[in-house]
């Protein structure tokens, strides 16, 4: 075509391509929207920021009404969480579950895409663990009764694992297995995924002598762990596959894993916590997840970075430094979502 194309056409084509790049985003990648800060921007500004970066998926830890209103018409898919303190009532009362759905889902369902409802975050094992499955079942029934086809699940940390090395030996711990096995069976029967919070950073800092930084950051370009004939060059895949192995042993061989949190701190005066390491880790996650894991090769792994903002009401130290953005909406470091 040479240079004969008119300047107006060139500008129009550039605009369309740029708009597509902004709004297309990476389908497999979302970002957690945490609210534990007293200096965070208003929800409408936050959702505009998600859209401008092409972030198409969001996790909301509780049904914050202002955030849900800001999400209306945004075309951003949402994992909507319950408060952990609501689990006991959700588990014991079908009417409470129905009210929860009518309060937090029904007013928004026509204009917000709810991808999953998340019954509790990281309560297994623990005092609230016994309420998780009945809460999931009651919410599932309430959603179905209201005519909504939204999968119900829960988010667990890797504390549910007993054995995780090598990944094929992954099993749920004695303290978690009595809860995880029936949950796995429920998820398997419905075709729903399990949400898992995966943090190679904390695995690295708990054992810096044996877990090398490059392995945790996706920067090891050779096999680090050989598991039978399966090769692992990054800790992220090894953790996820150990969860898959545990699910397979517990009645959930077809349950998908969704990585509901992963990230790396940019500060906090702790080993490995730096802006550069956080930038490397999160960009490598974005580039990696479409490939799947060695146990699920080629199967895109839905993953949510933690988190959109540094949150000053979280515990002091690294917990306050997981944000991609500062509360004034300036980048801590750049992540390429294109």
């Amino acid at each position: 075509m040479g240079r004969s194309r008119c300047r107006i056409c060139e500008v129009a084509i550039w605009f369309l391509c740029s708009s597509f790049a902004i709004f297309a985003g990476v389908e497999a990648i979302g970002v957690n929207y945490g609210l534990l800060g007293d200096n965070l921007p208003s929800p409408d500004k936050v959702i505009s920021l998600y859209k401008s970066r092409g972030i198409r998926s969001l996790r909301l830890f509780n049904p914050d009404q202002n955030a849900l209103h800001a999400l209306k018409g945004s075309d951003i898919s949402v994992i909507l969480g319950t408060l952990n303190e609501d689990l006991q009532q959700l588990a014991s009362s079908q009417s409470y579950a129905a009210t929860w759905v009518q309060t937090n889902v029904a007013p928004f369902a026509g204009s917000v895409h709810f991808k999953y409802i998340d019954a509790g975050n990281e309560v297994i094992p623990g005092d609230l663990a016994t309420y998780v499955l009945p809460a999931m079942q009651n919410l599932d029934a309430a959603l179905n009764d209201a005519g909504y086809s939204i999968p119900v699940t829960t988010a667990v940390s890797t504390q549910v694992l007993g054995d995780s090395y090598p990944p094929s030996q992954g099993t749920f711990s004695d303290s978690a297995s009595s809860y995880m096995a029936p949950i796995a069976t429920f998820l398997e029967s419905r075709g729903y995924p399990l949400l898992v919070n995966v943090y190679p950073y904390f695995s690295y800092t708990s054992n810096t002598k044996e877990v090398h930084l490059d392995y945790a950051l996706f920067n090891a370009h050779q096999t680090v762990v050989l598991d039978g004939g399966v090769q692992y060059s990054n800790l992220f895949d090894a953790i996820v596959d150990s969860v898959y192995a545990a699910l397979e042993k517990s009645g959930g061989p077809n349950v998908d894993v969704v990585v509901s949190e992963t990230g790396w701190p940019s500060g906090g005066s702790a080993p490995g916590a730096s802006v550069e390491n956080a930038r490397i880790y999160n960009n490598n996650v974005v580039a990696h997840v479409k490939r799947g894991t060695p146990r699920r090769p080629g199967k895109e792994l839905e993953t949510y970075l933690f988190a959109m903002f540094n949150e000053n009401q979280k515990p002091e130290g690294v917990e306050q430094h997981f944000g991609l953005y500062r509360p004034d909406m300036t980048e801590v470091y750049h992540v390429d979502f294109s």
Side-chain angles (χ1 to χ4, degrees):
M1 297 292 291
R3 298 292 297 172
S4 61
R5 197 166 50 188
C6 73
R7 179 60 179 163
I8 293 175
C9 294
E10 288 180 345
V11 171
I13 291 169
W14 174 88
F15 177 79
L16 289 170
C17 292
S18 298
S19 297
F20 180 79
I22 289 172
F23 292 107
V26 179
E27 290 292 345
I29 288 287
V31 180
N32 285 259
Y33 177 13
L35 295 167
L36 294 179
D38 59 12
N39 55 356
L40 298 176
S42 61
D44 59 324
K45 291 180 180 178
V46 174
I47 301 310
S48 293
L49 180 59
Y50 271 76
K51 292 170 66 177
S52 72
R53 293 302 316 280
I55 303 168
R56 299 289 300 279
S57 301
L58 174 154
R59 181 182 177 209
L60 193 61
F61 289 88
N62 63 77
D64 182 90
Q65 297 293 297
N66 291 328
L68 288 169
H69 278 287
L71 281 159
K72 284 185 172 182
S74 66
D75 199 32
I76 294 173
S77 64
V78 180
I79 299 177
L80 179 62
T82 71
L83 291 166
N84 287 346
E85 51 263 40
D86 287 343
L87 284 172
Q88 185 171 1
Q89 278 188 283
L90 287 167
S92 60
S93 172
Q94 182 62 61
S95 64
Y96 185 83
T99 299
W100 193 95
V101 169
Q102 289 304 313
T103 301
N104 301 307
V105 176
F108 308 99
S111 54
V112 175
H113 174 212
F114 291 110
K115 197 161 192 180
Y116 315 116
I117 302 298
D118 167 20
N121 182 53
E122 296 190 348
V123 299
I124 303 172
D127 293 341
L128 296 175
T130 189
Y131 303 118
V132 174
L133 180 57
M136 291 167 61
Q137 292 168 326
N138 282 345
L139 283 167
D140 191 47
L143 288 162
N144 287 330
D145 288 346
Y148 304 123
S149 298
I150 307 171
V152 179
T153 182
T154 190
V156 298
S157 75
T158 51
Q159 292 298 310
V160 299
L161 293 172
D163 293 324
S164 59
Y165 182 87
S168 64
Q169 297 305 304
T171 56
F172 294 122
S173 67
D174 291 342
S175 60
S177 60
S178 61
Y179 307 109
M180 292 305 300
I183 287 172
T185 300
F186 171 81
L187 297 174
E188 177 85 12
S189 70
R190 299 294 199 276
Y192 297 167
L194 177 68
L195 308 185
V196 185
N197 299 337
V198 176
Y199 283 99
Y201 172 76
F202 291 116
S203 298
Y204 162 71
T205 56
S206 67
N207 190 3
T208 55
K209 289 184 179 179
E210 295 186 15
V211 179
H212 292 171
L213 183 60
D214 282 351
Y215 183 51
L217 288 174
F218 292 85
N219 277 351
H221 301 298
Q222 68 284 334
T223 300
V224 176
V225 172
L226 184 62
D227 184 6
V230 181
Q231 301 176 6
Y232 290 89
S233 61
N234 69 80
L235 183 54
F236 179 90
D237 280 351
I239 294 171
V240 173
D241 276 358
S242 66
V243 177
Y244 273 125
L247 285 167
E248 291 164 8
K249 297 178 179 76
S250 302
N254 300 302
V255 174
D256 286 335
V257 167
V258 171
V259 177
S260 42
E261 293 179 30
T262 194
W264 197 281
S266 62
S269 301
S274 70
V275 171
E276 181 63 7
N277 285 344
R279 183 191 66 79
I280 290 170
Y281 179 80
N282 280 319
N283 278 283
N284 282 340
V285 168
V286 174
H288 179 78
V289 294
K290 283 187 174 293
R291 306 174 197 170
T293 69
R295 205 171 184 90
R296 298 287 191 276
K299 182 177 178 59
E300 187 174 79
L301 180 63
E302 185 179 348
T303 299
Y304 292 75
L305 302 183
F306 186 87
M308 199 64 167
F309 296 100
N310 287 333
E311 299 168 67
N312 66 358
Q313 292 178 326
K314 294 183 75 71
E316 289 187 9
V318 296
E319 293 283 349
Q320 294 186 355
H321 295 275
F322 273 87
L324 307 183
Y325 286 85
R326 303 175 186 88
D328 64 3
M329 298 176 65
T330 59
E331 283 186 331
V332 178
Y333 53 87
H334 185 68
V335 175
D336 183 2
F337 289 103
S338 65

